[in-house]
């Protein structure tokens, strides 16, 4: 399974970005998907998880109400819509695939390369 994240960039506080993660290889619909982020000097942290069907989503408290995860199984792609961005959202964002729908990075077997999101104040 290969994952390719894209859509990061520089945005002002209050702005929006949509991240995409294209998945190739084994059947995409078999996997639950997650988004994680890592800021400089900090540990990787959970952002969102999307179940294999897209019917269930889970979010970190810090992004709840601002970020929305979704997927299109026909396009083998998962998305993270990020609204009302804050400077503290600045990080490298990673998509990942797992058999279990989980907030723990330890449960994710496959990872994308990351895409940089920078939010200016």
């Amino acid at each position: 399974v290969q994952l390719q994240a894209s859509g990061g960039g520089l945005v002002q506080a209050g702005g929006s970005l949509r991240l995409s993660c294209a998945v190739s290889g084994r059947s995409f619909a078999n996997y639950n998907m997650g988004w994680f982020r890592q800021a400089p000097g900090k540990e990787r942290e959970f952002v969102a998880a999307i179940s294999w069907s897209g019917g269930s989503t889970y979010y970190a408290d810090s992004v709840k109400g601002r970020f929305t995860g979704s997927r299109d199984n026909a396009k083998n792609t998962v998305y993270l819509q990020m609204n009302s961005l804050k400077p503290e959202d600045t990080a490298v964002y990673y998509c990942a695939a797992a058999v279990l729908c989980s907030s723990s990075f330890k449960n994710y077997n496959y990872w994308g390369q990351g895409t940089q999101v920078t939010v200016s104040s």
Side-chain angles (χ1 to χ4, degrees):
V1 177
Q2 293 82 42
L3 292 79
Q4 180 75 37
S6 61
L10 173 64
V11 64
Q12 289 188 334
S16 298
L17 282 174
R18 188 176 81 154
L19 305 183
S20 299
C21 178
V23 181
S24 60
R26 295 182 182 179
S27 180
F28 172 67
N30 289 344
Y31 289 94
N32 299 284
M33 300 298 296
W35 288 97
F36 292 79
R37 66 187 182 187
Q38 188 166 18
K42 295 187 177 182
E43 295 184 352
R44 189 168 300 191
E45 65 172 353
F46 169 74
V47 175
I50 303 99
S51 66
W52 66 271
S53 68
S56 297
T57 51
Y58 307 91
Y59 301 96
D61 288 343
S62 59
V63 307
K64 202 171 292 183
R66 301 188 297 122
F67 290 12
T68 303
S70 63
R71 65 192 293 164
D72 185 337
N73 285 350
K75 295 183 178 180
N76 284 12
T77 302
V78 63
Y79 305 98
L80 185 67
Q81 177 67 44
M82 305 186 296
N83 299 329
S84 302
L85 282 161
K86 304 175 181 180
E88 51 264 44
D89 294 320
T90 295
V92 177
Y93 283 70
Y94 299 89
C95 58
V99 174
L100 297 175
C101 195
S102 170
S103 62
S104 173
F105 73 91
K106 296 179 181 179
N107 288 325
Y108 286 80
N109 309 98
Y110 305 99
W111 291 83
Q113 85 290 359
T115 184
Q116 176 70 47
V117 172
T118 303
V119 184
S120 63
S121 57

